[in-house]
Amino acid sequence: FFFEQNITNTTTPLLLKQDPNQTFSTMSYKAGIIKAITELKDRTGSSSIAIKKHMQENMAADKKWLNGMFLKALKEGVAAGVFIKVKASYKLSPAAKSAEKKKAAPKKAPKK
Protein backbone atom coordinates (compact mmCIF):
# COMPACT_ATOMS: atom_id res chain seq x y z
CA PHE A 1 0.00 0.00 0.00
CA PHE A 2 1.18 3.47 -0.80
CA PHE A 3 0.19 6.21 1.58
CA GLU A 4 0.62 9.88 1.14
CA GLN A 5 2.92 11.43 3.71
CA ASN A 6 2.28 15.04 4.70
CA ILE A 7 5.32 15.23 6.96
CA THR A 8 8.37 16.86 5.43
CA ASN A 9 10.33 17.63 8.59
CA THR A 10 9.28 16.33 11.99
CA THR A 11 11.28 18.94 13.91
CA THR A 12 9.19 21.87 12.69
CA PRO A 13 5.83 22.43 14.38
CA LEU A 14 3.02 21.26 12.14
CA LEU A 15 0.54 23.62 13.78
CA LEU A 16 1.77 26.53 11.71
CA LYS A 17 0.71 24.84 8.47
CA GLN A 18 -2.97 24.29 9.26
CA ASP A 19 -5.80 26.61 8.35
CA PRO A 20 -8.39 27.15 11.14
CA ASN A 21 -11.22 27.37 8.58
CA GLN A 22 -10.38 24.00 7.07
CA THR A 23 -12.92 21.19 7.34
CA PHE A 24 -12.16 17.64 8.47
CA SER A 25 -12.56 16.38 4.91
CA THR A 26 -9.65 18.43 3.52
CA MET A 27 -7.15 18.44 6.39
CA SER A 28 -4.51 15.90 7.37
CA TYR A 29 -5.14 13.43 10.17
CA LYS A 30 -2.71 15.24 12.49
CA ALA A 31 -4.45 18.57 11.94
CA GLY A 32 -7.81 16.85 12.45
CA ILE A 33 -6.61 15.36 15.74
CA ILE A 34 -5.46 18.78 16.93
CA LYS A 35 -8.81 20.31 16.00
CA ALA A 36 -10.74 17.48 17.68
CA ILE A 37 -8.75 17.79 20.94
CA THR A 38 -9.34 21.54 21.07
CA GLU A 39 -13.07 21.17 20.32
CA LEU A 40 -13.58 18.38 22.88
CA LYS A 41 -12.03 20.56 25.63
CA ASP A 42 -11.42 17.69 28.03
CA ARG A 43 -9.20 18.79 30.93
CA THR A 44 -7.60 15.40 31.47
CA GLY A 45 -7.12 14.72 27.75
CA SER A 46 -9.25 13.06 25.10
CA SER A 47 -9.19 9.33 24.46
CA SER A 48 -8.28 8.06 21.02
CA ILE A 49 -11.79 6.62 20.68
CA ALA A 50 -13.39 10.01 21.44
CA ILE A 51 -11.04 11.75 18.99
CA LYS A 52 -11.82 9.15 16.32
CA LYS A 53 -15.59 9.48 16.81
CA HIS A 54 -15.40 13.27 16.68
CA MET A 55 -13.37 13.20 13.47
CA GLN A 56 -15.66 10.63 11.82
CA GLU A 57 -18.80 12.62 12.69
CA ASN A 58 -17.37 15.74 11.07
CA MET A 59 -15.82 13.97 8.08
CA ALA A 60 -17.38 14.21 4.63
CA ALA A 61 -19.30 11.15 3.47
CA ASP A 62 -17.13 10.72 0.37
CA LYS A 63 -13.85 10.50 2.32
CA LYS A 64 -12.78 7.03 3.42
CA TRP A 65 -11.59 6.58 7.03
CA LEU A 66 -8.10 5.08 7.26
CA ASN A 67 -7.56 3.82 10.80
CA GLY A 68 -3.89 3.05 10.16
CA MET A 69 -3.21 6.65 9.13
CA PHE A 70 -5.07 7.89 12.22
CA LEU A 71 -2.98 5.72 14.56
CA LYS A 72 0.22 6.65 12.74
CA ALA A 73 -0.60 10.37 13.09
CA LEU A 74 -1.18 9.89 16.84
CA LYS A 75 2.13 8.07 17.32
CA GLU A 76 4.10 10.57 15.23
CA GLY A 77 2.48 13.48 17.06
CA VAL A 78 3.57 12.04 20.41
CA ALA A 79 7.09 11.43 19.06
CA ALA A 80 7.30 14.98 17.66
CA GLY A 81 6.05 16.51 20.90
CA VAL A 82 2.78 17.89 19.54
CA PHE A 83 0.68 15.58 21.75
CA ILE A 84 1.23 14.32 25.29
CA LYS A 85 -0.01 10.84 26.11
CA VAL A 86 -1.52 10.58 29.58
CA LYS A 87 -2.55 6.97 30.32
CA ALA A 88 -5.00 6.28 27.46
CA SER A 89 -5.69 9.94 26.63
CA TYR A 90 -4.01 12.59 24.51
CA LYS A 91 -3.51 16.29 25.25
CA LEU A 92 -1.89 19.10 23.32
CA SER A 93 1.61 19.91 24.51
CA PRO A 94 2.22 23.35 26.06
CA ALA A 95 4.30 24.31 23.03
CA ALA A 96 1.45 23.36 20.71
CA LYS A 97 -1.04 25.36 22.80
CA SER A 98 1.17 28.47 22.78
CA ALA A 99 1.72 28.19 19.01
CA GLU A 100 -2.03 27.93 18.48
CA LYS A 101 -2.73 30.96 20.71
CA LYS A 102 -0.07 33.04 18.93
CA LYS A 103 -1.56 32.14 15.58
CA ALA A 104 -5.10 32.97 16.72
CA ALA A 105 -4.18 36.31 18.33
CA PRO A 106 -5.21 39.25 16.12
CA LYS A 107 -2.61 41.79 15.16
CA LYS A 108 -3.06 45.31 16.48
CA ALA A 109 -3.07 48.23 14.06
CA PRO A 110 -0.09 50.57 14.50
CA LYS A 111 -0.87 53.94 16.05
CA LYS A 112 -0.10 57.07 14.05
Side-chain angles (χ1 to χ4, degrees):
F1 294 101
F2 295 98
F3 293 110
E4 197 177 319
Q5 287 188 337
N6 294 342
I7 301 170
T8 55
N9 187 359
T10 57
T11 58
T12 59
L14 296 173
L15 295 174
L16 302 175
K17 297 179 183 177
Q18 67 173 322
D19 182 19
N21 297 328
Q22 228 176 1
T23 61
F24 279 104
S25 62
T26 58
M27 65 175 55
S28 68
Y29 279 92
K30 189 170 281 191
I33 292 168
I34 292 169
K35 190 170 183 180
I37 290 173
T38 54
E39 287 179 2
L40 289 171
K41 296 180 182 178
D42 199 357
R43 188 178 63 85
T44 58
S46 302
S47 68
S48 61
I49 296 168
I51 296 168
K52 184 190 306 185
K53 284 182 181 178
H54 190 270
M55 287 179 68
Q56 286 176 342
E57 287 173 359
N58 296 313
M59 185 180 287
D62 60 335
K63 186 170 180 182
K64 184 179 176 187
W65 178 259
L66 299 173
N67 199 50
M69 293 292 287
F70 170 72
L71 295 174
K72 183 179 177 184
L74 271 177
K75 287 180 185 177
E76 288 178 353
V78 171
V82 178
F83 310 126
I84 299 172
K85 186 173 181 178
V86 181
K87 295 182 182 176
S89 298
Y90 295 89
K91 295 166 122 178
L92 287 179
S93 67
K97 286 181 185 177
S98 64
E100 189 174 306
K101 286 181 183 178
K102 285 180 184 178
K103 189 178 75 168
K107 294 182 180 180
K108 293 182 180 179
K111 294 182 180 181
K112 292 183 180 181

